Amino acid sequence: MCGIIGVLGTHEVSPILVEALKRLEYRGYDSAGIATVNGGHLDRRRAVGKLVNLSDVLVHDPLPGKSGIGHTRWATHGAPTVSNAHPHQAGCVAVVHNGIIENFKELRDELAGHGIRFVTETDTETVALLCEFYMRDGTSATEAARKTVARLDGAFALAFLFDGQEDLMVAARKGSPLAVGHGEGEMYVGSDAIALAPLTDQITYLEEGDFAVLTRQSLEIWDTKGNLANREMRQIKLENARVDKDGHKHFMAKEIAEQPVAVDKALKAYLSDSGEIQMPEGLDFSKIERLSLVACGTAYYACMVAKYWLETIARLPVEVDVASEFRYREPPVSPGTLALFVSQSGETADTLAALRYMVGKADVIAGLVNVPESSIARESDVVLPIYAGPEISVASTKAFTCQLTVLLMLALKAAQDRGLPLPEGMPADLRALPGLIHQSLASEAQIAAASRDLAGARDIIFLGRGQLYPLALEGALKLKELSYIHAEGYASGELKHGPIALIDDSVPVIVMAPRDALFEKTISNMQEVMARGGRVVLVTDADGAREASDGTAEVITMPQVPDALAPILYAIPAQQIAYFTAIAKGTDVDQPRNLAKSVTVE
């Protein structure tokens, strides 16, 4: 979601802040700004829209200084305007903030009672005004910030900068991630390691409730009890934080193309040369009676696929929940429950809240994440990395296929632990998967041509049966995210229970149908579409194409694949359809409107 960067440096900081913010663009934003202290004077520059607009402002109105904070804002409270953009300043205090201050109205009323005026619609302005109010009676900047943070309810990552204090920055986190970087005579604050990677490879991750005071030579951290805390400094691998397109037009195109390598890396982490499935300690499925899978968005659809695998391969009962609804229904938790939380960033606010609800209730809490240092990883009993590498495009691609890969390995491990045979051909079929994904990428030109026709539609329907039903949902989500075309995914058998009323020659229908045990039923549903004038794009394999291509508008042929691997392979055309339809419509592929990569507010 929003991005934070802070620098106590030895060089002019404005270009450093803007460059770091560029590395945070993938999180999604609609305005940006920076503030610096120069000659003891605090000042700021802000702009609506892309960072190039902020760069233009700085060309015409430079902002000198060697201490500064910066921010990319994704609007929550208040429209995306210059006045609502961060940093927010109240007298001698400037603040950048990720998250939501839930009690800001109460604090605003209190401040208004002291005659303090508000000039924005944001919750964050309250933080700056409250801190400035505490400093009026002579309270030090650090103590005023501490008192302010203590009054805040909600989720936040905060960085404070102060007039007249060129060697001081204060940071705090609760519910939103924040990291401190260590340099030579310099210190940094960032939303994640990607922002800090060009500046340092020495990172300290703040933990929940931490309050930190930074100077160029020191870092002091207090925990939630007010005790000085000794947080570990870690060395990050800079190659894991590279942010470039490697010659591709978009990050999404690059990340689609990286999937054979990413899936291969995930497989090698969990599958030994001898074919043994290797999982972290703490996962013994002989003692597990039930799984609870919790996630949001694309990760939720990965969990839906995993439900098919775990129940058919391991005969293990599974419940799948949308994280934003999970804890509010207060689900009962039976003995022998493994609760698994799936999140690319490991910081998804709803998923993290659901995890905390399950602490003390589930026998084992596991996190399946792409960022091993994330909050979900740190608060889980068992961590399952997906090894996708940095994913910059807002729409998830390689993280989804790597999530599916690790979830399939989890299902196979569960079957082994429960004394059940693995599907015939496993694990040899798994080793062939990266090559099959590579083959599937060869359909790019055909999908691009079909997508030019899809770009003219107002509504599109995706259909799938069995473990391809979640892929229909995922395909529809991707198309909505990128092209802004209304799209819906349905289980093929549900077509005649309502959605068939939408079918006419203006509504394309994309059918995901490998030649599996459910193929004939899916094709019967497809025939119902064509009988009503619907235009069908059939995604199938060579056998399926031979049997069912008559009357379709387009057939996209995938490699033959064992049934269990079909959801992973068929994710590729779903992604490419969305990508090329967006290209045809001219929408912003990597940063779709209104969306954020890491959703750190509920």
Side-chain angles (χ1 to χ4, degrees):
M1 196 156 277
C2 306
I4 285 176
I5 182 68
V7 178
L8 295 176
T10 55
H11 303 282
E12 287 297 315
V13 80
S14 288
I16 298 171
L17 293 172
V18 172
E19 190 60 32
L21 291 177
K22 288 179 181 177
R23 296 174 65 84
L24 292 171
E25 284 189 293
Y26 75 98
R27 297 168 72 94
Y29 70 105
D30 42 48
S31 63
I34 64 172
T36 66
V37 181
N38 183 54
H41 177 62
L42 179 65
D43 202 0
R44 58 183 171 159
R45 304 285 184 269
R46 299 173 294 170
V48 173
K50 297 299 183 184
L51 275 166
V52 66
N53 298 334
L54 177 61
S55 296
D56 288 345
V57 169
L58 290 167
V59 167
H60 297 291
D61 192 6
L63 192 60
K66 297 179 180 179
S67 306
I69 53 177
H71 191 266
T72 50
R73 175 180 186 249
W74 187 82
T76 53
H77 295 74
T81 63
V82 172
S83 64
N84 287 333
H86 296 215
H88 285 286
Q89 185 174 349
C92 59
V93 182
V95 176
V96 289
H97 165 224
N98 292 352
I100 291 178
I101 306 302
E102 294 176 355
N103 62 333
F104 83 99
K105 289 183 179 178
E106 172 190 327
L107 295 172
R108 180 183 280 239
D109 291 343
E110 179 182 322
L111 291 167
H114 292 283
I116 294 174
R117 289 181 58 249
F118 288 76
V119 297
T120 81
E121 305 167 271
T122 69
D123 54 336
T124 307
E125 185 187 15
T126 310
V127 179
L129 287 168
L130 185 61
C131 187
E132 194 266 344
F133 173 73
Y134 285 138
M135 292 179 69
R136 289 182 183 181
D137 64 2
T139 300
S140 70
T142 298
E143 287 308 308
R146 193 190 304 271
K147 289 174 69 175
T148 298
V149 170
R151 296 289 308 280
L152 305 180
D153 294 333
F156 53 79
L158 294 162
F160 296 80
L161 200 63
F162 303 94
D163 192 86
Q165 303 268 9
E166 296 193 46
D167 193 27
L168 175 67
M169 188 178 300
V170 172
R173 69 151 291 184
K174 177 186 175 185
S176 290
L178 202 60
V180 176
H182 305 257
E184 294 185 10
E186 299 186 326
M187 293 291 281
Y188 319 100
V189 171
S191 302
D192 58 34
I194 287 178
L196 301 178
L199 304 172
T200 181
D201 64 351
Q202 303 293 324
I203 302 292
T204 297
Y205 291 93
L206 298 186
E207 297 188 6
E208 188 72 358
D210 278 356
F211 180 89
V213 177
L214 293 76
T215 71
R216 286 176 174 82
Q217 300 294 336
S218 67
L219 169 64
E220 291 184 316
I221 300 173
W222 286 265
D223 62 20
T224 53
K225 296 179 180 179
N227 299 319
L228 278 171
N230 183 23
R231 304 296 183 214
E232 176 186 3
M233 184 168 67
R234 307 183 187 188
Q235 184 171 16
I236 62 170
K237 296 180 180 179
L238 294 180
E239 64 270 20
N240 291 340
R242 286 182 59 208
V243 181
D244 57 63
K245 297 175 185 174
D246 282 344
H248 293 273
K249 186 175 182 181
H250 299 98
F251 282 110
M252 185 176 180
K254 174 194 174 189
E255 288 155 12
I256 289 173
E258 286 176 338
Q259 287 176 108
V261 173
V263 168
D264 184 58
K265 188 173 182 180
L267 284 171
K268 286 177 177 175
Y270 293 97
L271 188 64
S272 71
D273 292 340
S274 62
E276 184 179 350
I277 297 163
Q278 307 169 126
M279 287 281 164
E281 290 185 10
L283 285 178
D284 182 356
F285 285 93
S286 66
K287 299 176 181 178
I288 297 297
E289 300 296 329
R290 173 179 166 273
L291 256 72
S292 177
L293 306 183
V294 183
C296 299
T298 287
Y300 172 72
Y301 297 144
C303 290
M304 288 182 68
V305 175
K307 178 179 173 72
Y308 285 90
W309 287 331
L310 286 156
E311 292 187 342
T312 57
I313 296 172
R315 308 308 300 162
L316 194 59
V318 176
E319 289 185 9
V320 181
D321 276 276
V322 175
S324 57
E325 294 292 327
F326 177 71
R327 65 194 176 105
Y328 296 112
R329 66 182 179 86
E330 298 183 351
V333 182
S334 58
T337 293
L338 165 63
L340 178 64
F341 300 88
V342 182
S343 166
Q344 187 280 138
S345 68
E347 302 291 351
T348 308
D350 294 311
T351 309
L352 185 56
L355 182 154
R356 289 169 178 163
Y357 171 83
M358 290 294 274
V359 171
K361 299 180 178 70
D363 287 37
V364 180
I365 290 177
L368 194 145
V369 298
N370 196 31
V371 184
E373 302 85 6
S374 62
S375 296
I376 287 175
R378 293 200 300 269
E379 296 186 31
S380 296
D381 302 321
V382 179
V383 182
L384 299 168
I386 64 170
Y387 298 101
E391 189 179 66
I392 303 304
S393 180
V394 167
S396 182
T397 52
K398 62 177 180 173
F400 179 60
T401 47
C402 286
Q403 285 169 351
L404 289 173
T405 301
V406 177
L407 287 166
L408 176 56
M409 299 299 293
L410 194 74
L412 298 176
K413 171 68 161 58
Q416 279 189 344
D417 287 355
R418 293 164 67 84
L420 298 172
L422 301 185
E424 186 178 353
M426 294 288 180
D429 289 338
L430 286 167
R431 293 202 176 93
L433 181 58
L436 293 172
I437 294 173
H438 182 74
Q439 290 178 42
S440 74
L441 293 171
S443 298
E444 178 179 286
Q446 183 187 9
I447 292 174
S451 296
R452 286 192 286 273
D453 291 334
L454 294 174
R458 291 185 59 186
D459 304 279
I460 295 177
I461 290 175
F462 286 73
L463 297 178
R465 269 188 183 266
Q467 58 188 4
L468 271 295
Y469 164 45
L471 262 293
L473 296 170
E474 168 63 9
L477 176 63
K478 282 287 170 288
L479 194 68
K480 280 183 279 200
E481 286 179 321
L482 299 182
S483 71
Y484 317 144
I485 294 172
H486 173 249
E488 297 295 336
Y490 293 100
S492 301
E494 289 296 295
L495 184 70
K496 52 187 163 290
H497 295 285
I500 201 167
L502 300 173
I503 301 299
D504 60 26
D505 60 5
S506 69
V507 180
V509 179
I510 299 168
V511 180
M512 302 281 200
R515 184 64 177 89
D516 58 14
L518 300 175
F519 178 75
E520 292 179 356
K521 292 183 180 297
T522 304
I523 297 308
S524 293
N525 300 134
M526 186 182 83
Q527 294 293 338
E528 293 167 355
V529 169
M530 293 191 295
R532 288 156 179 83
R535 290 185 292 139
V536 169
V537 176
L538 175 61
V539 186
T540 186
D541 49 39
D543 289 345
R546 280 191 293 270
E547 291 185 39
S549 61
D550 289 350
T552 60
E554 189 76 50
V555 177
I556 297 166
T557 306
M558 292 287 102
Q560 301 282 157
V561 65
D563 289 356
L565 304 185
I568 304 174
L569 190 68
Y570 279 66
I572 309 303
Q575 296 164 3
Q576 290 179 321
I577 287 169
Y579 175 78
F580 286 111
T581 303
I583 294 291
K585 289 201 68 179
T587 56
D588 191 334
V589 172
D590 284 333
Q591 296 171 36
R593 67 187 184 198
N594 303 333
L595 296 182
K597 181 66 174 175
S598 178
V599 182
T600 54
V601 296
E602 290 189 69

